[in-house]
Amino acid sequence: VWQNMVVLLGACFLAALIGAFGAFLNEHDTLGSNAFKSKIKKLEDYLCYRNVPDSIKQSILFYHATADQGSEMLSLLPEPLQMDISFAVKHRAIWAVPILKSLPPNVQKRLTHRMSHQVYSSLENPVVYSQGDIGWEIYFIVSGVVSVTLPNDAMDLDETGRSNSQANRDKFVSLGSTLSVGNHVGENCITSRSGVRQESIHAMTKRVELFVLSKDDLNDICRLMGDKKGTELKCALLQRNGSSWHSFAALDDLEGDSDTGPRRKQKSRNSPFPLSTPSSGRRTRRYSQTCATQRRPSFQTPGSV
């Protein structure tokens, strides 16, 4: 009997020692899967404690579940190595978007290093942004399909949105109300001074992957490219979406000296493109086909040809 009690007592001590050791490792695990599960559990408890609505809670948890968890480890590396790793991980954003694909390799690395990865779903987290939200980011679509909804009344927009509402509507008449791989949205923030969104973007498929670039990061990269090349990149983002051109008016001021957005300058005599944005889908498609058949240098502003 005493022998059996000693064996049982030893087994209990061993189990307690293993459990304590495991709890110690879980408590000090700051980068592994246990740390991630603990972070999600604490976040969920906090949202329940604050009585956050279920729809918002679901979007927050979905965002954290799909967010990139390796940024903290990458920050410990030298920046050139960070850029190489970022390009290796996020190169899909470059290959999927024609505007970015033709950029020099060093610019592509800087773009991927500044980009963040976001995932949306038509089932759990469908809203990318809504009309009237404040945002300073450009979203590049690498998988899935999103829908574009324009406001019925321009009076719902701010001053910048009202002045650009017709041009924005013409753009989506040309591109369509659904966008997919290779397209981008949110580029109006490049010339906006208020950051107010002029349209609503929602995910239409079960998984939509977007790579996000902020306006400040874009300005920094364009500054490193030089005034001419940087301006050409901004013009391409504003006038072209995917493989289609939706505007051929030269942009005089990309920083936006006023709240009314960029100014249009007169077409050069040597420019083969029309002065203003085409007002109908038929004209836009014809111009886009003409543009596609002509060979032009990368990001050359149509007004300066």
Side-chain angles (χ1 to χ4, degrees):
V1 175
W2 290 106
Q3 195 174 16
N4 292 335
M5 291 181 61
V6 170
V7 172
L8 290 175
L9 187 61
C12 291
F13 273 115
L14 180 62
L17 182 62
I18 294 175
F21 189 67
F24 175 80
L25 292 179
N26 289 337
E27 184 70 22
H28 291 78
D29 181 11
T30 58
L31 297 176
S33 59
N34 291 324
F36 177 73
K37 292 178 182 177
S38 177
K39 174 184 174 182
I40 294 297
K41 183 66 170 63
K42 291 179 180 178
L43 178 61
E44 191 171 0
D45 292 342
Y46 175 79
L47 295 175
C48 292
Y49 173 72
R50 291 298 183 181
N51 295 321
V52 176
D54 290 340
S55 59
I56 299 178
K57 181 175 24 175
Q58 187 177 19
S59 297
I60 294 173
L61 295 175
F62 182 85
Y63 171 79
H64 281 279
T66 57
D68 184 13
Q69 304 296 324
S71 57
E72 294 182 5
M73 292 182 289
L74 287 180
S75 63
L76 302 175
L77 301 174
E79 187 167 0
L81 186 56
Q82 291 183 38
M83 292 171 58
D84 290 338
I85 295 174
S86 297
F87 183 75
V89 173
K90 305 174 185 176
H91 65 275
R92 290 183 302 150
I94 301 298
W95 304 143
V97 181
I99 297 175
L100 307 181
K101 190 175 181 180
S102 57
L103 289 171
N106 62 328
V107 177
Q108 293 177 348
K109 289 183 179 181
R110 292 184 182 277
L111 284 169
T112 53
H113 184 49
R114 299 293 185 92
M115 286 179 175
S116 61
H117 179 242
Q118 293 184 10
V119 178
Y120 295 85
S121 171
S122 59
L123 303 177
E124 298 182 71
N125 186 31
V127 180
V128 180
Y129 63 78
S130 299
Q131 173 250 320
D133 290 348
I134 304 295
W136 301 100
E137 297 83 23
I138 306 171
Y139 298 81
F140 298 93
I141 306 172
V142 296
S143 72
V145 179
V146 301
S147 65
V148 181
T149 305
L150 298 175
N152 294 324
D153 188 0
M155 297 306 295
D156 294 336
L157 302 173
D158 65 340
E159 183 180 355
T160 304
R162 289 194 294 271
S163 63
N164 293 336
S165 61
Q166 188 57 48
N168 204 40
R169 192 170 297 276
D170 291 340
K171 175 177 72 173
F172 289 110
V173 166
S174 169
L175 299 174
S177 59
T178 58
L179 302 176
S180 59
V181 179
N183 294 119
H184 59 276
V185 294
E187 70 276 9
N188 286 332
C189 72
I190 296 175
T191 55
S192 175
R193 295 178 65 90
S194 63
V196 177
R197 298 297 190 183
Q198 301 175 23
E199 66 279 332
S200 298
I201 306 295
H202 293 79
M204 293 185 63
T205 52
K206 292 178 65 175
R207 183 177 176 86
V208 175
E209 290 186 79
L210 305 174
F211 281 92
V212 186
L213 181 68
S214 71
K215 176 182 178 179
D216 289 340
D217 288 337
L218 175 64
N219 287 337
D220 290 341
I221 293 172
C222 290
R223 199 173 296 116
L224 293 172
M225 294 173 65
D227 292 340
K228 181 179 179 182
K229 291 296 183 181
T231 301
E232 288 175 355
L233 175 56
K234 290 181 181 180
C235 283
L237 290 171
L238 287 167
Q239 299 176 329
R240 178 183 174 188
N241 205 308
S243 301
S244 302
W245 290 81
H246 54 78
S247 174
F248 301 96
L251 299 175
D252 187 24
D253 182 11
L254 286 174
E255 294 299 327
D257 287 338
S258 66
D259 288 340
T260 58
R263 299 193 300 270
R264 308 285 179 179
K265 46 180 183 178
Q266 295 294 321
K267 177 176 72 73
S268 170
R269 291 185 177 181
N270 298 324
S271 174
F273 304 112
L275 172 61
S276 59
T277 304
S279 58
S280 68
R282 179 179 298 179
R283 290 182 63 193
T284 305
R285 286 191 292 271
R286 185 170 72 247
Y287 294 140
S288 299
Q289 292 170 358
T290 303
C291 224
T293 57
Q294 294 180 354
R295 302 177 63 182
R296 62 164 58 85
S298 300
F299 307 121
Q300 185 163 0
T301 310
S304 61
V305 175

